[in-house]
Amino acid sequence: MKLIPGPASIELGEKIAELSGLERVNVAYKVFPDGENYIRLEGSVQKAHVAIVQTTSAPQDTNLMQLAFIAAAAKRNGARKITAVIPYLAYARQDKIFLQGENANIETVAAMLNTAGVDEMITVNVHAEGALARFSFPALNLTAIPLLAEHFVRRGFKGAFALAPDKGAMYIAEQAQQVLGGGAGHLEKQRDRQTGQTTQTGGSLDVKGQIVIIFDDIISTGGTIVGAARILLEQGATQVFAACVHPLLIGDAEKRILDAGVKEIVGTDSVPRRASKVSLASLISNSLRAKQSG
Ligand code: R5P
């Protein structure tokens, strides 16, 4: 197997290659003055099973096109099989049609990658598992929640309460709880499909006097974490932390979260940010190793 670190995930790709002992094939890339992307493989992929590591956070359309171009270039240059490693899968939140006239955009992304030559995909904590059913090729979903929880255990937070900001994320809090060994629970969150506006309520949580870590798959605008932190602090939590797999942290999200009383934000390098304190390299390299021996 050979590994291509895509332009959006160079550091993570290099770490994975190093940990897995895989030969790296670098990509030369540039953006033309009119905005079009250019890529060129700088090494041979002839007859190789190739893993391309490319996250698709913003600018997601550029990152997706680069991934498609790299996959197509690899196939054109003789790659035997292509595994796309997409730590953050863009458009996974658009996997369903809610209003007439909409498209399930993840399905179009899947078709594009398939046409480009991708044979299988590895992603991490995809927002909705249902999104993977839209892919015509095998799609594996890894979870980084245990890695995030282990980070907190190493820092002395064994026994902290694991909180999911909504019922749908309760499985995430339960995965964290298995490592942290404390309590777990969830808030209630409702979303208005027209405006996108959300409202949160506390329910019957007992977090008084506890250190609480909010676990979520994505932090985007930070609104969910800000709302959750307010409820937790009102209910007597002593300290509140925020942990997520994909720290998109759009605009001033980080500041808003810290201003709401959250002590610290911890994310992974699925999206390279200041908060990316936990690396996915070991998780992904184990998965690639299993594929090589399988
Ligand atoms: C939603 O269901 C997700 O799990 C996250 O809670 C959400 O995407 C976070 O978005 P924001 O940071 O904008 O509230």
Side-chain angles (χ1 to χ4, degrees):
M1 185 184 272
K2 294 189 178 184
L3 188 139
I4 300 178
S9 293
I10 291 180
E11 219 174 290
L12 175 60
E14 287 176 355
K15 273 190 195 162
I16 297 168
E18 202 170 307
L19 267 181
S20 326
L22 293 176
E23 186 187 325
R24 238 168 52 203
V25 174
N26 291 335
V27 176
Y29 66 98
K30 63 182 175 188
V31 180
F32 286 108
D34 64 357
E36 289 186 0
N37 283 282
Y38 166 92
I39 63 96
R40 184 175 62 81
L41 305 184
E42 293 188 318
S44 168
V45 291
Q46 192 67 37
K47 297 200 173 87
H49 178 178
V50 174
I52 305 167
V53 182
Q54 170 87 337
T55 204
T56 56
S57 50
Q60 43 278 75
D61 297 348
T62 293
N63 292 338
L64 277 168
M65 287 311 293
Q66 285 175 344
L67 173 59
F69 292 156
I70 295 167
K75 270 279 159 83
R76 184 178 292 268
N77 285 277
R80 176 169 53 81
K81 183 173 181 183
I82 296 181
T83 302
V85 178
I86 312 178
Y88 174 71
L89 180 61
Y91 293 100
R93 287 184 286 181
Q94 298 187 46
D95 66 319
K96 288 194 194 102
I97 292 172
F98 293 103
L99 303 175
Q100 194 182 357
E102 289 179 346
N103 180 43
N105 285 337
I106 190 64
E107 194 171 284
T108 308
V109 168
M112 178 180 88
L113 294 178
N114 187 31
T115 302
V118 172
D119 296 297
E120 61 179 11
M121 175 182 73
I122 298 174
T123 189
V124 184
N125 289 96
V126 67
H127 178 66
E129 282 268 353
L132 302 184
R134 305 271 183 183
F135 285 73
S136 60
F137 48 80
L140 177 65
N141 183 31
L142 305 176
T143 179
I145 298 300
L147 282 180
L148 285 165
E150 281 157 17
H151 171 89
F152 281 95
V153 169
R154 274 196 301 278
R155 292 180 46 195
F157 294 106
K158 184 97 191 152
F161 189 97
L163 183 107
D166 56 48
K167 199 172 175 186
M170 190 57 201
Y171 75 97
I172 289 181
E174 283 167 354
Q175 286 178 11
Q177 181 189 31
Q178 282 184 13
V179 177
L180 289 166
H186 66 85
L187 301 178
E188 299 292 344
K189 184 166 102 174
Q190 279 88 33
R191 187 181 294 274
D192 182 321
R193 290 279 161 220
Q194 299 286 348
T195 64
Q197 208 67 19
T198 59
T199 45
Q200 288 161 287
T201 45
S204 56
L205 284 178
D206 183 13
V207 293
K208 198 169 167 35
Q210 300 219 50
I211 295 173
V212 182
I213 307 169
I214 309 167
F215 284 88
D216 209 348
D217 55 343
I218 300 168
I219 302 179
S220 181
T221 64
T224 302
I225 299 291
V226 167
R230 288 207 180 110
I231 293 171
L232 294 168
L233 291 167
E234 268 166 29
Q235 296 196 354
T238 52
Q239 291 184 64
V240 176
F241 292 83
C244 70
V245 179
H246 309 297
L248 302 184
L249 294 169
I250 308 300
D252 63 350
E254 195 170 353
K255 181 176 180 320
R256 288 178 56 224
I257 291 170
L258 297 177
D259 286 352
V262 171
K263 284 248 162 231
E264 191 185 332
I265 307 165
V266 176
T268 79
D269 52 2
S270 83
V271 183
R273 291 279 184 270
R274 192 174 27 210
S276 306
K277 296 164 191 164
V278 172
S279 181
L280 296 175
S282 60
L283 183 72
I284 293 171
S285 77
N286 287 342
S287 174
L288 290 177
R289 209 168 289 138
K291 285 201 173 295
Q292 278 174 288
S293 56

